[in-house]
Amino acid sequence: MNLEQISILATGGESDVVEFKKSTAGLKSACDTTSAFLNSNGGIVLFGVTDNGKIIWQEVSDKTKRDIGNELAKITPRADVEITYINMPDTNKYIIVFHVTTDSTKRPYLYDGKAFMRIQTNTIAMPREYQNELTLLHAEGALSWENAFAKNITIDNLDTKEILLTLKEGGLNGRIPNSYVTNDPWEGLQHLGLIEENKINNAGLVLFGKNPEKKYPQCVLAMARFRGINKSEFIDNKRVFGNIFVLLDRALSFLNMHLPIASTFPKGEILRKDTPFLPIVALREAIANALCHRDYSFNDGSVSLGIYDDRLEIWNYGLFPRGVSLNNLNELNKSIPRNPLIANVLYYHKICETWGRGIHMIIDECIKAGHPKPFYAQNSLGTLLTIPFKYSLGVASQVNAPTTLEHNNKKLTKRQQEILHIISKIKEGSSAEILKHMENVNLTDRTLRRVLVELEQMGYIGRVGGTRGTIWKIGS
C-alpha cells in the first residue's frame, strides 16, 4: 500500500472494513477492531489518521513496534495481519497500516480473550449466542481436518511398528476383521482409512507420526502438578511432543509419578496389593478422549492436564458435537466423535471405548473408587473435565487421608513386604515376636531392626515404647 492509496481510503471515511486511529495510543481499541475484521471479511486499520479522515502521521520507535507485536500476539487463533509503515519523506513520521485478512475456518477470533464484531463503523462485543454459533460451525468444519492430506508426508515419516501393532491388537480384540491384519504398513494404513488418493491424511500423521509436531505443533501435551488448589506454584511442569500414542504414554507416566497408590496386604497373602488412587482405566479413557476429540485445526493449543491437591483437570481444544450439550451428556448413549478416523484406531487398540460409553465409564469408575462424581464444563474454545478427589493430596491435609498404607508408592523388597505383612497380621509386636513369624529363621535381630527402621522412615509403620521395649505397629 502506498500514500496515494491511503489518501483515497482517508477521503472515503470509516466503514465496515476501514478504521482510523490518530495514533497507537488507541492500539488496544484497534486490536478490538482487528478481531472484528477477522470475524467478518477482513479490513484495514490506519494509524495517523483522524476520525474525519485527516492524515496527521505519527512517530514510530522500536517501542512502538514492540507494543504492536505484543498486542497482536493476544489474538487467538494466530491471525494473518500484514503491517506496513508508510514514511513521510525526510521525517520519522509514518502512517501505520494493519491489513487484515481472515480464515473463516478459524472463527471466532478473540483478542485478549474476547470476541468482537463489526457493524457499519462500530466495533462491538460479539453476542454470546453468535460466538457459540461460530464456534459450532468451526467445529463442524474441523471434522474434515483429519481427512485432509498431510503434505509431503511419506511412510518413512510414520512409526510402521505401531501401525502393524494396531492391526494385530485390533484383530486380537475382535474389533477389526482378521483379514485386515498384515505385515505391510501401507496396506495397514489403507485398512485403517488413513490413505486417500494414495496420500497419507492428517489422521495418519497424528496417530503414527515419528515427529508430527514438526508439521503440526498442536501435537503437544502440557502437564503440571500444582501445589495447592490453584496455579500459583508448580511442583512439576512438563511439555511433551509426539503422536497420540506417545502423548498418552507420557501422560499416564506423569500421573503415576504424582498420584498416590494405596498399598494393602490381603488376608492370607504375603505380597502387597497396590491400588492406584484414581482408576487407571478411567484415566486412560479420559486422556484418550481429550487427544481423540480435540479440535486439531487449532494449531496454537494443546491438550493439558493439571493435578491439584483436590482435583485432576484435563482440558482440550474443541467443543461437544452439535446435538450434545452439558445438559444431555449423562443421557448420551451413542458415539459422536469429532475425529472418527482417530477414534476408530484408538478403539481398535482398546485404548478407549466408543465416546458415549467412555464418558459413563469414567464417571462410574471414579465413583466406585470413592471419589465425587467427575463433571464437564465448556467455554467458547474447549472442554474441561474435572475429577474431584475423595481427599486432599496436600501435605497439610494428609490427616484427612487413610492412615495405614495409603499415599506411598515406593517399591518394597520381598523382605520388607514380608515384615509389613506380619505386622499387619499380628496388629503389633516386638522385634522378637515378629522374628518368630519370619520364614528365614537365620535372620539376625540386627538386620530385622534395620528393616523395621526403613519401613518406619517410609511411613508404613510406627513404634511405641523405649529402646528395650519397642512395640511396632501399622501406621505412624
Side-chain angles (χ1 to χ4, degrees), residues 105 107 132-147 295 297 318-324 336-340:
T105 66
R107 296 171 188 160
N132 289 342
E133 183 179 347
L134 280 180
T135 303
L136 286 172
L137 289 172
H138 178 192
E140 290 181 347
L143 286 173
S144 62
W145 182 90
E146 65 170 358
N147 291 294
D295 184 349
S297 65
L319 303 177
F320 296 144
R322 188 180 290 273
V324 178
I336 313 176
R338 175 183 300 279
N339 302 298

Side-chain angles (χ1 to χ4, degrees), residues 171-358:
L172 291 174
N173 295 329
R175 296 191 169 185
I176 62 172
N178 286 326
S179 59
Y180 280 18
V181 181
T182 176
N183 291 321
D184 182 348
W186 189 262
E187 182 184 350
L189 290 174
Q190 291 175 319
H191 289 320
L192 297 172
L194 304 178
I195 291 178
E196 297 184 23
E197 298 181 17
N198 218 34
K199 297 179 181 178
I200 298 168
N201 58 27
N202 284 334
L205 181 60
V206 168
L207 283 161
F208 300 115
K210 293 178 181 176
N211 300 107
E213 69 276 7
K214 291 183 178 179
K215 185 173 183 65
Y216 296 122
Q218 59 266 48
C219 295
V220 59
L221 174 67
M223 304 177 290
R225 169 65 169 106
F226 299 100
R227 189 184 303 279
I229 60 174
N230 56 45
K231 297 181 179 179
S232 60
E233 184 180 355
F234 288 105
I235 293 176
D236 195 5
N237 184 23
K238 287 183 170 58
R239 190 174 177 87
V240 296
F241 297 88
N243 64 43
I244 282 181
F245 295 102
V246 170
L247 297 183
L248 179 62
D249 181 68
R250 296 293 294 276
L252 291 174
S253 296
F254 187 84
L255 291 168
N256 183 61
M257 181 187 306
H258 289 288
L259 290 177
I261 292 179
S263 301
T264 59
F265 287 86
K267 186 176 181 179
E269 296 183 19
I270 293 178
L271 296 180
R272 183 182 69 177
K273 179 182 179 182
D274 291 339
T275 303
F277 180 64
L278 290 175
I280 292 295
V281 64
L283 291 177
R284 185 175 62 240
E285 183 76 25
I287 297 164
N289 271 351
L291 293 168
C292 171
H293 297 288
R294 69 152 292 174
D295 184 349
Y296 282 94
S297 65
F298 278 104
N299 59 8
D300 293 329
S302 67
V303 171
S304 62
L305 65 88
I307 305 172
Y308 301 82
D309 281 1
D310 63 344
R311 69 196 184 278
L312 167 66
E313 291 185 348
I314 301 175
W315 159 269
N316 73 287
Y317 277 85
L319 303 177
F320 296 144
R322 188 180 290 273
V324 178
S325 69
L326 293 173
N327 293 329
N328 66 10
L329 194 59
N330 289 335
E331 288 76 44
L332 187 66
N333 57 12
K334 60 181 178 180
S335 179
I336 313 176
R338 175 183 300 279
N339 302 298
L341 293 176
I342 296 173
N344 286 342
V345 169
L346 296 182
Y347 175 73
Y348 299 153
H349 242 297
K350 223 170 183 178
I351 288 174
C352 67
E353 298 299 319
T354 56
W355 197 51
R357 281 190 58 196

